[in-house]
Each structure stands twice: as C-alpha cells, then as structure tokens.
Amino acid sequence: MKSDRDRRVDMLLDDICYEVRETREFTGCSALDPRVLDAMRRVPRHAFVGDQLQDRAYDNHPLPIGYGQTISQPYIVALMTDLIRPRDDAVVLEVGTGSGYQAAILAELVRQVYSLEIVDELAVAARERLQRLGYENVAVRSGNGRLGWPEHAPYDAIVVTAAPTGIPPALIEQLKPGGALVIPVGERIFGQQLLLVSKDLRGRIEETRILPVAFVPLIGEAEG
Ligand code: SAH
C-alpha cells in the first residue's frame, strides 16, 4: 500500500507536470526529463521544512524557512533543474542554499554540488541536514554567492536561487564553455525574469528569457 508521503508526492508530481505543460509557451519545455522527476520523487521535502509546516511540505508552493527566506516552489525547482540539463558527471554551483532542498535535488542527478549561502545559520543547518540525509556529494559554505566559488570553477552549470538586479560577472566567468547558468534577474520581486544563460564553446554568451518569477533578492555587496 502507498504511504501518505507517496500519495502526496504523486499529487505534487502531477501538479508539477500540469504546470510545466501550461507554461510550455514561455519556457519551451513541455515535459520534464524523467531523471528530474525521479529526483523530485526521491528527495524528502518534508525534511527541509519545520515541524509546523509538515502538512504543507508537498504543496506546490514556496514555504518559509526562517531568516526571511523561503524554500522555492517545487515546480520552479524542477524547471530550473531541467533547464541546466544535469548530466551525471557534472559539477554544479548553487547560489542560495537556503534549506538545502534544491542542492539535494541536484545531488541526486550530478557528480558534485557546491552551494553558497550568505546567512550563516542557514548554511550550518543545511549542511547538517544534507549530511544526515546521506548526501555526500554536496559541499555547503557560508559566503557571498555573487563572487561564486572560484576554487572549484569552472562549473558545468550554475543555479542561482535569489534574484540580483544584474548577472554577477564572477558567475559568468566561472561557467564552463558549453555550460548553463539559470538565474532570476530583476529590480523588484514582481518584475523578475528567470534567465537561461549559456556559454558556447568559444565563450560567447547567450541569454534566453524563460518565465516571470518572484524570488527573494540576492543580498550582499557586489564587491564582496
Ligand atoms: N535553494 C533554496 C532556496 C533559498 S531562497 C532552497 O532550496 O531552499 C534564497 C537563499 O539565497 C536564501 O537562503 C538567502 O539567504 C540566500 N542568499 C541571498 N543572497 C545571497 C548571496 N549573496 N549569496 C549567497 N546566498 C544568498
């Protein structure tokens, strides 16, 4: 018999697939990679939210995680993950660890995830949570993600989960030729666009607008 969690995950995945189909004209994506859906099925989202939110852990909504921050909506997590075309040998940088949920989804799919979080307490909690859940291929560091994580660059893909007003140059620099960066960009929470930025093998940059989105702002000084 299916557990309550399995039933809630089935409903969530149905909802995500529905929303992906409904937004296909914006995103150019009418169905998610089955590997991405499998990762969404496996990662226990309830382990990334507090006790008071357990009954909403599998809702297709963002939820508060403290410090004024949120765990992103599952549909957006799935879409961003799909957009970078995660290969199992890829090394990926995430900016904005938050709860660690997006990092866990990536960790299910790629070889290594490096994730940066500016709020110390969130970085510590996410690191402990990911360790407890057995994700050995995620490294979390507290720091300003605008500067990227140069020691492990270049990255096959970069996923940014907080919105700057412009694309931080360090992130473009740390992207491998042939790689993809997915990032919400915009001045105000309701004026943001999710962008897919690709770097071709000759280092040329191309930007594609994917979807209007509402992320928390990327904080911290541009100079570090
Ligand atoms: N990916 C997260 C969603 C986090 S919301 C998850 O799956 O739960 C965005 C996160 O970005 C917040 O935790 C916020 O503290 C963090 N953040 C904001 N500005 C940042 C910066 N300059 N560098 C790193 N993290 C930042």
Coordinates of all heavy atoms in Angstrom, one line a residue, residues 5 12 19 38 43-44 52 87 101 162 189 211 215 218:
R5 N 3.0 9.8 2.4 CA 4.0 10.6 1.7 C 4.0 10.2 0.2 O 4.0 11.2 -0.6 CB 5.4 10.3 2.3 CG 6.4 11.3 1.7 CD 7.7 10.7 1.3 NE 8.5 11.6 0.5 CZ 9.1 11.4 -0.6 NH1 9.0 10.1 -1.1 NH2 9.7 12.3 -1.3
L12 N 1.9 15.9 -6.0 CA 2.8 17.0 -6.3 C 3.3 16.9 -7.7 O 3.4 17.8 -8.5 CB 3.9 17.1 -5.3 CG 5.0 18.1 -5.5 CD1 4.5 19.5 -5.6 CD2 6.1 18.0 -4.5
E19 N 1.7 22.0 -14.5 CA 2.2 23.4 -14.6 C 3.2 23.6 -15.7 O 3.3 24.6 -16.4 CB 2.7 23.9 -13.2 CG 2.8 25.4 -13.1 CD 2.8 25.9 -11.7 OE1 2.5 25.1 -10.8 OE2 3.2 27.1 -11.5
D38 N 12.2 11.9 -11.2 CA 12.6 10.8 -10.3 C 13.3 11.5 -9.0 O 13.1 11.1 -7.9 CB 13.7 9.9 -10.9 CG 13.0 8.7 -11.6 OD1 11.7 8.6 -11.5 OD2 13.7 8.0 -12.3
V43 N 13.6 13.0 -3.2 CA 14.1 13.8 -2.1 C 12.9 14.1 -1.1 O 11.8 14.6 -1.6 CB 14.7 15.2 -2.7 CG1 15.0 16.1 -1.6 CG2 15.9 14.9 -3.5
P44 N 13.1 13.9 0.1 CA 12.0 14.1 1.1 C 11.9 15.5 1.5 O 12.5 16.0 2.4 CB 12.5 13.3 2.3 CG 14.0 13.3 2.2 CD 14.4 13.4 0.8
Q52 N 6.0 22.8 12.0 CA 4.7 23.4 11.8 C 4.2 23.4 10.4 O 3.1 23.6 10.1 CB 4.6 24.9 12.3 CG 5.7 25.4 13.2 CD 7.1 25.6 12.5 OE1 7.9 24.6 12.6 NE2 7.3 26.7 11.8
R87 N 23.9 16.5 -16.2 CA 24.5 15.2 -16.6 C 25.1 14.6 -15.3 O 25.5 15.3 -14.4 CB 25.6 15.5 -17.6 CG 25.0 15.9 -19.0 CD 26.2 16.4 -19.8 NE 27.4 15.5 -19.7 CZ 28.0 15.0 -20.7 NH1 27.7 15.3 -21.9 NH2 29.1 14.3 -20.5
Y101 N 17.3 22.1 -0.1 CA 16.4 21.3 -1.0 C 16.8 21.2 -2.4 O 17.0 20.2 -3.0 CB 14.9 21.8 -0.8 CG 14.0 21.0 -1.7 CD1 13.7 19.7 -1.4 CD2 13.3 21.6 -2.8 CE1 12.8 19.0 -2.2 CE2 12.5 20.9 -3.6 CZ 12.2 19.6 -3.3 OH 11.3 18.9 -4.1
A162 N 18.3 33.2 -5.7 CA 17.9 34.5 -5.2 C 18.2 35.5 -6.3 O 19.1 35.3 -7.1 CB 18.7 34.8 -4.0
I189 N 10.4 42.3 -6.7 CA 10.1 40.9 -6.6 C 9.1 40.6 -7.8 O 9.1 39.5 -8.3 CB 9.5 40.5 -5.2 CG1 9.5 39.0 -5.1 CG2 8.2 41.2 -4.9 CD1 9.6 38.5 -3.7
L211 N 10.8 32.9 -18.0 CA 9.5 33.0 -17.3 C 9.5 34.1 -16.3 O 10.6 34.3 -15.7 CB 9.3 31.7 -16.5 CG 8.0 31.3 -15.9 CD1 7.0 30.8 -17.0 CD2 8.2 30.1 -15.0
F215 N 11.5 35.7 -6.8 CA 12.4 35.1 -5.8 C 12.8 36.2 -4.8 O 12.6 37.4 -5.0 CB 13.7 34.8 -6.5 CG 13.7 33.4 -7.2 CD1 13.1 33.3 -8.4 CD2 14.2 32.3 -6.6 CE1 13.1 32.0 -9.1 CE2 14.2 31.1 -7.2 CZ 13.6 30.9 -8.4
L218 N 18.9 38.7 -4.0 CA 20.2 38.3 -3.7 C 20.8 39.5 -2.9 O 20.8 40.6 -3.4 CB 21.0 38.1 -5.0 CG 22.4 37.5 -4.8 CD1 22.3 36.0 -4.6 CD2 23.3 37.8 -6.0

